[in-house]
């Protein structure tokens, strides 16, 4: 019996009339307490510490059946499978804690190391699967992301390439494309439920990973100027890419020149190349 089935039989259902964040947080805490009570072998304090940031992130994506919102057990499933995820991603807790640059950046950003590592592990395990095996996405969700991107950048020009057999057709009437996308987003077409599997490029995965971390970790940004990143954020992002193996280096290399202001250009170019791109939520097991 999996956790979802167990909870549905042993815990009263929670009626959530709306996705009120306060209600969701209160009910998630009850769910956490219930999970701990039914898993006495788990260290409750350690689990709470490690999942602190991930639990907050998961709360942004409650399940909805059209009438009610249901809390996700995604954070708990992650905790049960964390060792397997470390083997799959090759992320090392020892390397993370010994990496002095990321530890200093975490401190400077007002974060805690334990839940930061867990959040990185959760996100990178999913993104690595997207790189290697592809990801499933509903057509309606993809259209919604495109529309959000258009709404945020109304002055951008649009074009569409169609391929029919061996022939390509290029269409560049921005206004007409916007009308089509807007109508599709507002309608309830059967095509919206179709699922498309797409692979993601490693560089785009890097951008999604760093952006998701910086946007969802409880970072103190008092000294950050609008539209820029602090040096601590840059060092943090570069260090994450080092730990995931996305920055090319040899085993015993000194990370200083890779993960500090000596390598700001790498971080800034990554952010610049994908600037304005709406990123998909990194959530759920494949």
């Amino acid at each position: 019996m999996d956790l979802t089935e167990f909870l549905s039989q042993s815990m009263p259902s929670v009626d959530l009339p709306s996705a009120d964040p306060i209600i969701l947080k209160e009910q998630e805490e009850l769910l956490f307490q219930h999970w701990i009570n039914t898993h006495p072998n788990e260290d409750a304090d350690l689990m709470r510490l490690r999942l602190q940031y991930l639990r907050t992130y998961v709360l942004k994506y409650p399940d909805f059946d059209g009438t009610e919102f249901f809390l996700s057990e995604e954070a708990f499933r992650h905790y049960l499978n964390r060792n397997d995820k470390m083997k799959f991603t090759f992320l090392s807790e020892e390397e993370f804690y010994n990496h002095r640059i990321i530890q200093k950046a975490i401190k400077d950003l007002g974060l805690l190391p334990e839940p930061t590592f867990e959040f990185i592990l959760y996100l990178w395990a999913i993104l690595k699967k997207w790189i290697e095996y592809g990801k499933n996405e509903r057509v309606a969700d993809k259209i919604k992301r495109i529309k959000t991107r258009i709404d945020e950048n109304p002055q951008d020009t649009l074009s569409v390439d169609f391929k029919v057999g061996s022939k390509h057709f290029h269409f560049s009437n921005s206004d007409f494309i916007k009308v089509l996308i807007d109508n599709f987003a507002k309608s309830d077409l059967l095509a919206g439920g179709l699922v498309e599997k797409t692979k993601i490029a490693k560089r785009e995965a890097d951008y999604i990973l760093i952006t998701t971390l910086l946007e969802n970790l409880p970072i103190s940004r008092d000294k950050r100027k609008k539209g820029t990143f602090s040096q601590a954020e840059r060092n943090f992002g570069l260090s994450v890419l080092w730990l995931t193996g996305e920055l090319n280096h040899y085993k015993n290399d000194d990370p200083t020149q890779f993960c500090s202001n000596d390598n700001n250009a790498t971080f800034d170019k990554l952010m610049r190349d994908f600037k304005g791109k709406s990123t998909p939520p990194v959530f759920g097991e494949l």
Side-chain angles (χ1 to χ4, degrees):
M1 180 183 297
D2 63 21
L3 180 58
T4 303
E5 184 180 356
F6 173 81
L7 289 172
S8 65
Q9 294 183 11
S10 58
M11 183 178 182
S13 60
V14 178
D15 182 16
L16 299 177
S18 66
D20 185 295
I22 296 177
I23 295 178
L24 288 177
K25 188 173 182 179
E26 291 174 350
Q27 299 299 339
E28 197 276 343
E29 177 61 25
L30 291 176
L31 186 61
F32 175 79
Q33 292 295 337
H34 178 78
W35 196 90
I36 289 296
N37 292 338
T38 54
H39 292 74
N41 293 329
E42 299 294 340
D43 185 330
D45 291 335
L46 180 59
M47 183 177 175
R48 181 182 292 279
L49 175 61
R50 284 177 169 171
L51 296 182
Q52 182 175 335
Y53 301 154
L54 181 54
R55 288 173 64 194
T56 301
Y57 179 71
V58 168
L59 275 176
K60 295 183 178 181
Y61 305 101
D63 296 325
F64 183 61
D65 67 354
T67 304
E68 294 179 300
F69 288 92
F70 298 91
L71 298 171
S72 171
E73 296 90 33
E74 185 73 12
F76 310 136
R77 286 195 292 267
H78 163 79
Y79 194 80
L80 289 174
N81 297 307
R82 66 187 304 273
N83 290 332
D84 290 337
K85 290 184 177 184
M86 281 190 281
K87 291 178 182 178
F88 173 66
T89 60
F90 302 107
L91 279 176
S92 164
E93 283 186 283
E94 181 180 3
E95 185 180 13
F96 170 80
Y97 286 108
N98 289 334
H99 196 293
R100 58 181 178 76
I101 296 177
I102 197 171
Q103 293 304 320
K104 183 178 186 306
I106 287 171
K107 183 178 180 180
D108 291 344
L109 295 172
L111 302 173
L112 297 172
E114 294 87 354
T116 299
F117 175 81
E118 218 63 42
F119 196 22
I120 294 170
L121 174 62
Y122 173 81
L123 296 174
W124 186 235
I126 295 175
L127 287 167
K128 194 169 188 291
K129 287 182 179 179
W130 289 4
I131 294 170
E132 297 185 7
Y133 308 114
K135 65 181 291 287
N136 294 324
E137 185 174 25
R138 292 173 63 249
V139 171
D141 294 333
K142 179 172 286 189
I143 293 294
K144 183 178 179 181
R145 285 200 294 111
I146 294 173
K147 186 178 185 306
T148 300
R149 172 72 172 82
I150 293 172
D151 291 343
E152 292 174 349
N153 302 271
Q155 303 304 319
D156 285 358
T157 57
L158 304 176
S159 64
V160 177
D161 283 303
F162 296 97
K163 182 178 180 182
V164 182
S166 61
K167 295 185 178 181
H168 287 264
F169 301 90
H170 185 76
F171 191 71
S172 57
N173 188 320
S174 294
D175 291 336
F176 185 64
I177 295 172
K178 289 179 181 180
V179 171
L180 287 178
I181 292 176
D182 189 54
N183 286 337
F184 189 98
K186 291 179 180 178
S187 63
D188 186 21
L189 298 177
L190 181 62
L194 297 177
V195 175
E196 180 182 24
K197 179 179 282 291
T198 57
K199 282 197 172 184
I200 187 171
K202 289 179 65 177
R203 185 167 172 77
E204 183 178 357
D206 293 344
Y207 173 78
I208 294 172
L209 173 64
I210 300 306
T211 301
T212 304
L213 286 167
L214 294 181
E215 289 181 350
N216 290 278
L217 287 170
I219 291 172
S220 174
R221 292 191 172 91
D222 294 340
K223 299 180 181 180
R224 178 178 175 181
K225 296 180 181 178
K226 185 177 181 181
T228 64
F229 294 95
S230 68
Q231 190 59 53
E233 287 175 303
R234 288 187 173 95
N235 291 358
F236 174 79
L238 291 167
S239 298
V240 169
L241 295 180
W242 168 281
L243 293 169
T244 60
E246 291 300 285
L247 277 182
N248 291 327
H249 61 87
Y250 294 104
K251 184 175 181 180
N252 295 317
D253 278 349
D254 182 351
T256 301
Q257 70 178 88
F258 294 89
C259 305
S260 65
N261 60 339
D262 291 336
N263 201 25
N264 277 349
T266 296
F267 178 92
D268 292 341
K269 189 175 188 311
L270 178 66
M271 296 295 109
R272 186 169 59 249
D273 287 350
F274 292 91
K275 184 179 180 180
K277 179 179 177 60
S278 59
T279 58
V282 185
F283 181 79
E285 299 291 340
L286 298 180

